């Protein structure tokens, strides 16, 4: 094989690799049912609600009784809820973290630890990969790596009292758990991975 042919083959492979990398980083088809797969479907989850277009309805959502109950249980004061409802920076973050569908669940007893918890899942698409990179590089304040559940990293951040916000991202879905368990979000990862495997016809033994 001549040097010219080798050079062109290398260029073709390089371009193909770059194109594949760009496609992987910037393309992830929207799956409107994915957020529900992150909410455990066991009997311990006693409440599940689904909300669309959260960013566009942010002000009204902050005034809803369900959201206020969730915030108060996490130690957030009523006046702070009113403040974030009109804060421009908060709205910008909501646009990134809840651009489409959000599911909220409540359980008095997490399967993995027995702690009370609020479970939140949101479709963030490819922005989820950016969040993971930012956390790994230490660019997210107060984010602590707690470990892994399967292939997913678990990050936590302190809240008021003994509450912690544990976070994970999988296939475009942002998962958040507010509880006393710093790895509480592992329950959501388990649920999401189990249903995803079943949808793809993959048994745990083949993983």
């Amino acid at each position: 094989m001549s040097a010219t042919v080798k050079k062109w083959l290398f260029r073709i492979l390089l371009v193909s690799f770059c194109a594949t990398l760009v496609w992987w980083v910037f393309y992830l088809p929207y799956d409107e049912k994915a957020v529900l797969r992150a909410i455990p479907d066991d009997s311990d989850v006693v409440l599940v609600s689904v909300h669309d277009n959260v960013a566009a309805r942010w002000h009204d959502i902050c005034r809803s009784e369900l959201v206020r109950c969730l915030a108060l249980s996490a130690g957030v004061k009523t006046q702070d809820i009113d403040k974030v409802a009109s804060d421009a920076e908060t709205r910008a973050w909501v646009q990134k973290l809840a651009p489409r569908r959000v599911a909220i669940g409540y359980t008095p007893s997490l399967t993995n630890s027995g702690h009370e918890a609020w479970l939140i899942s949101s479709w963030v698409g490819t922005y989820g990969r950016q969040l993971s990179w930012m956390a790994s590089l230490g660019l997210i304040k107060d984010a602590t790596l707690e470990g892994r559940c399967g292939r997913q990293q678990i990050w936590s951040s302190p809240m008021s009292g003994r509450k912690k916000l544990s976070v994970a991202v999988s296939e475009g879905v942002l998962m958040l758990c507010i509880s006393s368990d710093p790895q509480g979000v592992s329950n959501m990862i388990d649920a999401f991975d189990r249903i995803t495997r079943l949808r793809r016809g993959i048994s745990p033994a083949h993983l």
Side-chain angles (χ1 to χ4, degrees):
M1 184 181 296
S2 67
T4 301
V5 173
K6 289 182 178 179
K7 184 184 295 184
W8 276 104
L9 282 176
F10 173 76
R11 289 176 178 175
I12 292 171
L13 290 173
L14 180 61
V15 170
S16 299
F17 171 77
C18 291
T20 301
L21 180 62
V22 169
W23 175 83
W24 182 81
V25 171
F26 293 104
Y27 178 73
L28 189 61
Y30 175 51
D31 183 354
E32 67 176 10
K33 297 180 180 180
V35 296
L36 282 173
R37 295 202 295 271
I39 304 295
D41 58 357
D42 53 55
S43 58
D44 290 333
V45 178
V46 297
L47 169 69
V48 176
S49 62
V50 179
H51 309 270
D52 290 312
N53 302 317
V54 171
R57 301 185 296 112
W58 179 240
H59 187 270
D60 292 334
I61 288 174
C62 286
R63 298 173 62 185
S64 75
E65 291 301 320
L66 174 61
V67 171
R68 286 179 177 265
C69 179
L70 169 60
L72 289 172
S73 70
V76 181
K77 298 178 180 178
T78 302
Q79 54 266 39
D80 292 331
I81 302 174
D82 295 332
K83 187 181 299 183
V84 299
S86 57
D87 181 66
E89 184 177 355
T90 300
R91 184 181 291 272
W93 272 106
V94 171
Q95 184 64 54
K96 293 178 180 179
L97 301 180
R100 294 201 178 188
R101 172 163 289 189
V102 174
I104 300 174
Y106 170 77
T107 174
S109 177
L110 285 170
T111 301
N112 293 352
S113 64
H115 292 277
E116 174 191 33
W118 283 95
L119 314 169
I120 306 168
S121 60
S122 173
W123 177 264
V124 293
T126 56
Y127 188 65
R129 295 179 182 133
Q130 298 179 46
L131 286 173
S132 296
W133 295 337
M134 289 166 63
S136 298
L137 293 171
L139 300 178
I140 299 181
K141 184 179 179 181
D142 295 329
T144 301
L145 180 62
E146 295 287 349
R148 285 180 175 271
C149 179
R151 296 175 300 167
Q152 312 306 327
Q153 291 182 321
I154 296 177
W155 299 85
S156 75
S157 180
M159 302 185 73
S160 62
R162 297 176 55 195
K163 299 289 186 182
K164 290 213 171 188
L165 174 67
S166 55
V167 183
V169 180
S170 181
E171 299 188 24
V173 177
L174 174 66
M175 308 175 204
L176 307 101
C177 175
I178 300 173
S179 74
S180 300
D181 180 2
Q183 297 193 33
V185 76
S186 64
N187 295 262
M188 302 178 72
I189 298 172
D190 287 342
F192 186 85
D193 287 350
R194 183 179 68 255
I195 297 175
T196 300
R197 288 196 299 267
L198 290 174
R199 284 166 56 90
R200 294 174 179 172
I202 304 173
S203 68
H206 294 121
L207 293 179

